[in-house]
Amino acid sequence: MTAISTPARVLRGPLLSFAADPGDGDTPAPGSVRHLEDGAVWMVNGHIHAVGDYVELAPHLPAGINVVDYSGKLMMPGFIDSHVHYSQLDIMASYGRQLLDWLNDYTFPEECRFADRVHADAVAEAFLDETLRVGTTTAQVFCTSHPGSVDAFFSAAKRRGLRMLAGKVLMDRNAPDGLTDDTLGGLADSERLIGDWHGKDRLGYSLTPRFAPTSTREQLEATGAVLRNAPDLHLQTHLSENEGEIAWVSELFPESRDYLDVYERYGLVGPRSTFAHGIHLDQGMRQRLADGGASIAFCPTSNLFLGSGLFDRQACHDVGLATSLASDVGGGTDLSGLATLKGAYQVGQLLGQPLTAWQGFYRLTLGNAKTLHLDQHIGQIREGGEADIVVLDPQATPLLARRTARCQTLAETLFALMMLGDDRSVYATWAGGQRVHARDAA
Ligand code: GUN
Ligand code: ZN
């Protein structure tokens, strides 16, 4: 429930929302897609009061209610990014390194700057401006190891009435002094932040051990203890992204049979745990993750940019392991969900498992919401849900207009958007019933 009371409004225009997983076939599973040619979304107090065909809803609307006309556009639920680092906004596109060098050369020095709260506030605002500009209304966010970076992020998200998950990075070794925390002090800071922010307005806390190499056994153990006592918290970390990283983990944790075993030992593999990347896994590890109810965040533009490898979505699907879609900025090259879909399609092509537009847009919306256990609030345009909506423009650029003029079906238009779309294709973004971005606003 958002604290912000917003005036009732109706958004009118074409509308697409998923009610269930459409599957991987060219035709969506029966009943999985809701598409209205001339739809209406009636928003009251940050929630969707009613949704349906405009002609059917019109007689029930209060006289004089504000109707925003989005004819020719396409309304969808706000996009969701399941794994992103707000603190890495300004090191996106840093040349020529794979993961461990990239962390040491660019990422860790940049994150040290977040000891300064003024800097953290400024980047948090810039990050949210950008995410809303690309239609992303919810994300699961890594802050830095500085508690102030989390206060900065949550304060900015709260002011804008957004649903966000975030957490303080836990890392007590193998990083510069300006970034490492104290083993148990890091957990005490996390507990203070949980008290201040978790469950407040639309905010939720994710425990955030960075990855196995930067936490001692003691810190991982203490993180597991906090999670056991508060199972409604989320947990986010990284897993099996890069070959050098995996070799390092086996040196640091010789007692563990594999990388995943490190997290299992400390009770970190649970239903609300998101493991970013999970590229280099065998089927046994995938099965263990599935059995724990955990999920993997597939971050295609990051995996391509850092040369980490090709994520095998089908192998996860085969063992019932849930996957979400994520940007992983600043390893990722684009905050845009549309760009993430394009990357996912390209990775899929190289593995002989191309992503359909149906599956792609499902993942960006209801699929990610379900995987993050947020689907009681977001992910669909449905009565009672929170009013987070992205309005796409299939004619956003001359090229897109030419291409979509040729499209005979909605599937073709969606595919053109996912391959040719970018921030210009996002005409407007609404969050909690308020317009938080308008492309053409003066
Ligand atoms: N592994 C540990 N930290 C990071 C990070 O910041 N980005 C990525 N892509 N992988 C990581
Ligand atoms: Zn990451």
Side-chain angles (χ1 to χ4, degrees):
M1 183 80 166
T2 175
I4 299 164
S5 143
T6 53
R9 271 212 189 79
V10 175
L11 310 183
R12 176 181 181 182
L15 175 159
L16 172 69
S17 178
F18 292 90
D21 189 335
D24 285 309
D26 290 344
T27 314
S32 60
V33 172
R34 183 175 199 193
H35 176 225
L36 305 177
E37 301 270 4
D38 182 15
V41 187
W42 179 1
M43 308 186 300
V44 178
N45 254 339
H47 285 71
I48 296 169
H49 180 67
V51 53
D53 287 311
Y54 182 76
V55 286
E56 282 169 25
L57 217 57
H60 305 284
L61 295 173
I65 192 168
N66 185 327
V67 179
V68 184
D69 183 4
Y70 286 134
S71 49
K73 307 294 188 288
L74 178 62
M75 294 187 276
M76 292 185 62
F79 296 151
I80 301 167
D81 185 345
S82 65
H83 175 81
V84 59
H85 303 249
Y86 96 82
S87 55
Q88 297 174 11
L89 190 70
D90 296 334
I91 54 147
M92 291 173 73
S94 295
Y95 173 76
R97 297 285 182 271
Q98 290 218 348
L99 177 66
L100 299 179
D101 289 329
W102 177 81
L103 287 174
N104 284 319
D105 294 354
Y106 303 116
T107 313
F108 290 167
E110 176 67 16
E111 291 192 12
C112 286
R113 302 179 66 191
F114 286 73
D116 174 5
R117 175 67 195 263
V118 174
H119 178 71
D121 283 331
V123 179
E125 296 292 352
F127 173 84
L128 291 176
D129 286 347
E130 285 299 311
T131 57
L132 296 172
R133 241 165 47 71
V134 294
T136 296
T137 46
T138 291
Q140 181 169 226
V141 177
F142 268 57
C143 302
T144 69
S145 52
H146 313 96
S149 75
V150 185
D151 291 317
F153 181 76
F154 276 139
S155 304
K158 183 174 193 277
R159 265 196 304 280
R160 296 178 195 228
L162 304 177
R163 181 163 289 286
M164 287 283 165
L165 298 172
K168 181 203 112 65
V169 173
L170 293 157
M171 50 191 302
D172 64 346
R173 64 167 170 170
N174 293 324
D177 287 347
L179 213 49
T180 49
D181 56 12
D182 173 72
T183 301
L184 296 179
L187 269 306
D189 286 336
S190 303
E191 291 193 298
R192 193 276 287 168
L193 290 163
I194 291 164
D196 284 355
W197 297 109
H198 183 63
K200 303 287 160 67
D201 292 352
R202 303 180 72 195
L203 308 176
Y205 197 85
S206 286
L207 289 165
T208 310
R210 176 170 218 119
F211 67 157
T214 47
S215 284
T216 57
R217 292 169 182 74
E218 293 70 30
Q219 190 169 61
L220 295 173
E221 168 117 50
T223 307
V226 174
L227 192 60
R228 253 193 316 284
N229 290 326
D232 64 320
L233 296 176
H234 285 72
L235 179 134
Q236 53 180 347
T237 188
H238 298 90
L239 170 70
S240 293
E241 175 179 5
N242 168 283
E243 304 278 9
E245 169 206 18
I246 294 166
W248 194 24
V249 170
S250 65
E251 275 168 37
L252 291 168
F253 297 91
E255 70 281 16
S256 284
R257 63 174 156 151
D258 56 32
Y259 195 159
L260 178 59
D261 185 48
V262 178
Y263 296 135
E264 287 172 330
R265 272 168 197 264
Y266 299 110
L268 304 183
V269 182
R272 287 172 182 249
S273 303
T274 304
F275 294 91
H277 308 298
I279 298 169
H280 309 284
L281 300 174
D282 60 32
Q283 274 315 69
M285 293 163 93
R286 293 190 183 100
Q287 186 67 63
R288 281 151 57 201
L289 283 161
D291 292 347
S295 64
I296 302 230
F298 172 27
C299 312
T301 72
S302 170
N303 298 164
L304 294 168
F305 180 72
L306 290 172
S308 303
L310 301 176
F311 177 73
D312 193 338
R313 207 170 58 83
Q314 185 61 47
C316 296
H317 188 74
D318 289 346
V319 296
L321 171 55
T323 58
S324 58
L325 272 179
S327 71
D328 190 35
V329 159
T333 49
D334 214 311
L335 280 166
S336 162
L338 300 175
T340 300
L341 289 183
K342 176 175 168 177
Y345 179 78
Q346 290 166 334
V347 169
Q349 281 288 62
L350 290 169
L351 293 176
Q353 39 185 260
L355 181 73
T356 67
W358 298 118
Q359 182 61 212
F361 281 97
Y362 167 72
R363 286 276 141 223
L364 268 194
T365 56
L366 183 59
N368 272 4
K370 278 182 183 289
T371 306
L372 291 175
H373 295 259
L374 295 177
D375 53 309
Q376 71 275 36
H377 304 297
I378 57 170
Q380 294 184 69
I381 302 179
R382 65 161 175 85
E383 223 172 278
E386 294 174 349
D388 290 358
I389 290 168
V390 56
V391 185
L392 298 177
D393 179 1
Q395 277 102 34
T397 65
L399 178 66
L400 204 49
R402 289 181 69 86
R403 179 63 188 90
T404 55
R406 287 275 186 97
C407 293
Q408 307 276 323
T409 63
L410 178 60
E412 287 174 5
T413 302
L414 290 172
F415 190 66
L417 276 165
M418 96 184 207
M419 298 311 291
L420 301 177
D422 55 30
D423 56 340
R424 295 168 294 180
S425 325
V426 177
Y427 187 74
T429 308
W430 292 75
Q434 303 186 93
R435 202 183 67 180
V436 288
H437 166 66
R439 186 190 68 191
D440 297 340

